Amino acid sequence: MIPDTTVNPLSPAGTRFSALTRTDPDVLATILGEERREREGVELIASENYVSGAVLEALGSVFTNKYSEGYPGKRYYGGQEFTDAVETLAIARAKTLFDCDHANVQPSSGAGANIAVYHAWLEPGDTVLGMDLTHGGHLTHGAPVTHMAKLFNFVRYKMKDIETGEIDYDALREMAKQQKPKIILAGFSAYPRELNYRAFKEIADEVGAIAMADMAHISGLIAAGVAHNPFDDGFNIMTTTTHKTLRGPRGAMILSKGTVGNPLKAPEKTIDNLPTLIDRSVFPGLQGGPHMHQTAAIAVALGEAMKPEFREYGKQVLKNAKHLAAFLMNNGCKLVTNGTDNHLMVLDCIQSFGLDGKEVEHILDFVGITTSKSTIPDDPNPPFKPSGLRLGTPAVTTRGMKEKDMEILGMFMLQAITHKADETHRLKIQEEVKTFCSQFPVPGITGR
Ligand code: DSN
């Protein structure tokens, strides 16, 4: 049975939330409310997950008290015995998991990690070739609204065929020859298919660019060995957040190939110096003191990702996604690229239901199914009211759901949309979702 933390457990000293119970019941109420929301609802946002009790403990540790600008063995403040040890551990685990020469585990977010790479390698005005936002790319890959788009010249490639998701690598090559990018960027936040990393790398070599992969969404699948590792095809850099399929705390890493030098000395801009250029770009270039409690929690998550159970987790994420996609398509829904090879899918809500993504997100929210609206390729609608909805299976898989549960979730979703105007029916589905969820504990809340 799942302990009900919304009922004040009296909290004797030393037990969970005992200090907050005494000092700040207002904030405690919000934390318990969020726990209840996570426990009683279904999380289908493709970029979210549930951390383990161990990750949560490291994140809530005294490492948050410490300033540690610099890198292990080269810091600007004293008292670094344990910060050096934990950061060294995180770096070593990241290098082993992703098979690279260097890991910078300090970026506090994925956006910062990408910005640090751009500044490590580019000069203002240089060109980056990245995936179009509505075709699945990410805001930090050069969307015109970002600060980076004012500094660098981003040009965008698209899918050749939105029915299959295939990228037009011939067009990409031609574009690269014309535009002469310094970075070719492979990566996405709403693309449901595998990329051909070898093709990206060959094109990058032909035009003298470096190959960078933003694997924020699928780094957990790469670590589990169920998705391709871009380093196997010679990529130079991989950025990733740590809180999506990798199931760690909020944070990010920059992984690279090359020789690790002294980050206190500015090296020449050569491919071999990328690790040092990246370290200097993160600190002092972009950030001040790293979040060592976050680093400790990243180390724990990377340790978990090295275990055989994580391989099984990765396999199940994929099985669940394929199953949910098939169930929805068999019931008349239209998915962008007609399916998925990874953990996510994009539902075309206009074609499926005659509703936009914001309306469907809202309908599902009411019954306790959390999703995120999404653009579809070349979406005629604006990003705040786009035509699609993105769904993903990393979080529900962490809770232990399997293929048959995907059918139940799919059914709840379709019923909620069909009965959107029937209040009694909607409340009934809301109760059914809650009862269904009670079978699947949330790890961090139960302490697992
Ligand atoms: N917000 C993340 C996502 O949902 O994909 C990426 O930044």
Side-chain angles (χ1 to χ4, degrees):
M1 215 186 86
I2 304 163
D4 188 357
T5 45
T6 54
V7 179
N8 186 341
L10 289 183
S11 305
T15 62
R16 200 158 172 264
F17 297 130
S18 57
L20 271 177
T21 302
R22 269 185 289 110
T23 64
D24 202 333
D26 295 338
V27 169
L28 178 60
T30 65
I31 295 173
L32 296 180
E34 175 61 15
E35 283 198 352
R36 189 178 59 241
R37 190 194 70 81
E38 292 189 14
R39 216 175 46 216
E40 294 182 349
V42 177
E43 186 53 75
L44 282 177
I45 292 181
S47 51
E48 294 190 9
N49 213 329
Y50 304 105
V51 296
S52 68
V55 168
L56 217 46
E57 280 177 14
L59 197 62
S61 69
V62 291
F63 273 126
T64 197
N65 297 336
K66 191 74 195 99
Y67 259 122
S68 45
E69 277 103 327
Y71 293 100
K74 299 179 185 68
R75 308 273 192 193
Y76 288 85
Y77 291 73
Q80 306 291 348
E81 187 180 352
F82 301 106
T83 47
D84 276 6
V86 83
E87 187 169 345
T88 302
L89 207 51
I91 290 169
R93 288 178 181 177
K95 282 165 56 179
T96 305
L97 258 180
F98 294 97
D99 193 20
C100 55
D101 298 323
H102 183 54
N104 186 307
V105 296
Q106 293 191 4
S108 48
S109 74
N114 285 346
I115 291 168
V117 173
Y118 301 150
H119 282 279
W121 191 242
L122 305 175
E123 298 299 328
D126 280 349
T127 298
V128 179
L129 191 49
M131 192 187 257
D132 185 88
L133 188 61
T134 71
H135 281 236
H138 188 251
L139 208 60
T140 57
H141 300 173
V145 292
T146 61
H147 294 325
M148 288 308 106
K150 295 192 183 84
L151 257 186
F152 305 116
N153 174 37
F154 288 89
V155 285
R156 279 164 273 280
Y157 57 88
K158 295 182 171 187
M159 292 180 221
K160 170 159 79 179
D161 181 358
I162 57 171
E163 296 301 321
T164 62
E166 199 191 339
I167 305 284
D168 191 340
Y169 291 100
D170 292 331
L172 186 77
R173 175 176 282 105
E174 284 316 304
M175 203 184 271
K177 283 182 177 163
Q178 273 172 19
Q179 301 283 346
K180 303 189 178 23
K182 291 265 181 68
I183 294 179
I184 292 188
L185 177 47
F188 50 83
S189 68
Y191 177 72
R193 299 294 179 183
E194 271 264 37
L195 294 171
N196 180 346
Y197 300 106
R198 182 153 301 169
F200 276 102
K201 176 65 173 136
E202 280 170 9
I203 296 168
D205 286 346
E206 279 176 40
V207 300
I210 59 164
M212 167 182 175
D214 178 346
M215 297 288 98
H217 264 262
I218 60 166
S219 58
L221 303 178
I222 294 170
V226 298
H228 206 78
N229 184 345
F231 284 132
D232 291 345
D233 287 314
F235 265 59
N236 308 97
I237 295 175
M238 187 196 302
T239 56
T240 180
T241 47
T242 45
H243 48 272
K244 298 187 174 92
T245 47
L246 197 52
R247 219 162 58 177
R250 252 154 225 293
M253 303 190 293
I254 306 173
L255 311 168
S256 53
K257 292 273 192 184
T259 306
V260 185
N262 181 353
L264 304 186
K265 291 206 182 105
E268 259 186 89
K269 277 199 178 174
T270 64
I271 286 190
D272 202 44
N273 283 336
L274 276 173
T276 315
L277 292 164
I278 288 164
D279 277 350
R280 289 181 60 80
S281 183
V282 173
F283 174 82
L286 181 70
Q287 296 184 177
H291 300 174
M292 293 312 296
H293 57 305
Q294 192 179 43
T295 302
I298 288 173
V300 175
L302 293 171
E304 290 174 356
M306 291 168 128
K307 296 193 174 139
E309 302 89 277
F310 199 79
R311 286 188 87 84
E312 294 311 310
Y313 167 69
K315 283 184 200 160
Q316 192 63 47
V317 168
L318 296 189
K319 281 189 207 163
N320 283 351
K322 275 207 181 308
H323 212 80
L324 182 58
F327 179 86
L328 293 172
M329 288 191 295
N330 289 339
N331 282 278
C333 295
K334 171 69 181 168
L335 296 187
V336 172
T337 81
N338 295 306
T340 179
D341 294 329
N342 57 29
H343 63 299
L344 71 82
M345 64 209 74
V346 180
L347 188 54
D348 183 327
C349 297
I350 305 278
Q351 280 201 55
S352 304
F353 316 115
L355 299 168
D356 66 51
K358 185 178 177 183
E359 289 167 315
V360 177
E361 181 192 287
H362 190 70
I363 292 166
L364 297 178
D365 247 345
F366 182 86
V367 299
I369 298 176
T370 313
T371 59
S372 53
K373 56 186 161 295
S374 171
T375 49
I376 60 168
D378 303 317
D379 204 331
N381 290 321
F384 203 66
K385 214 172 161 29
S387 306
L389 188 79
R390 193 186 59 172
L391 306 170
T393 53
V396 290
T397 307
T398 295
R399 281 179 86 165
M401 294 187 198
K402 299 270 177 11
E403 289 95 316
K404 64 179 183 346
D405 305 307
M406 297 304 107
E407 293 184 20
I408 297 173
L409 290 184
M411 230 161 48
F412 283 143
M413 289 170 63
L414 297 180
Q415 281 176 6
I417 294 163
T418 307
H419 299 286
K420 61 181 190 302
D422 179 346
E423 192 68 8
T424 315
H425 209 112
R426 288 194 327 147
L427 287 167
K428 182 169 159 279
I429 299 169
Q430 195 184 55
E431 274 314 303
E432 285 172 359
V433 167
K434 219 183 274 182
T435 308
F436 173 72
C437 286
S438 67
Q439 303 167 61
F440 303 99
V442 174
I445 298 177
T446 57
R448 263 201 299 141

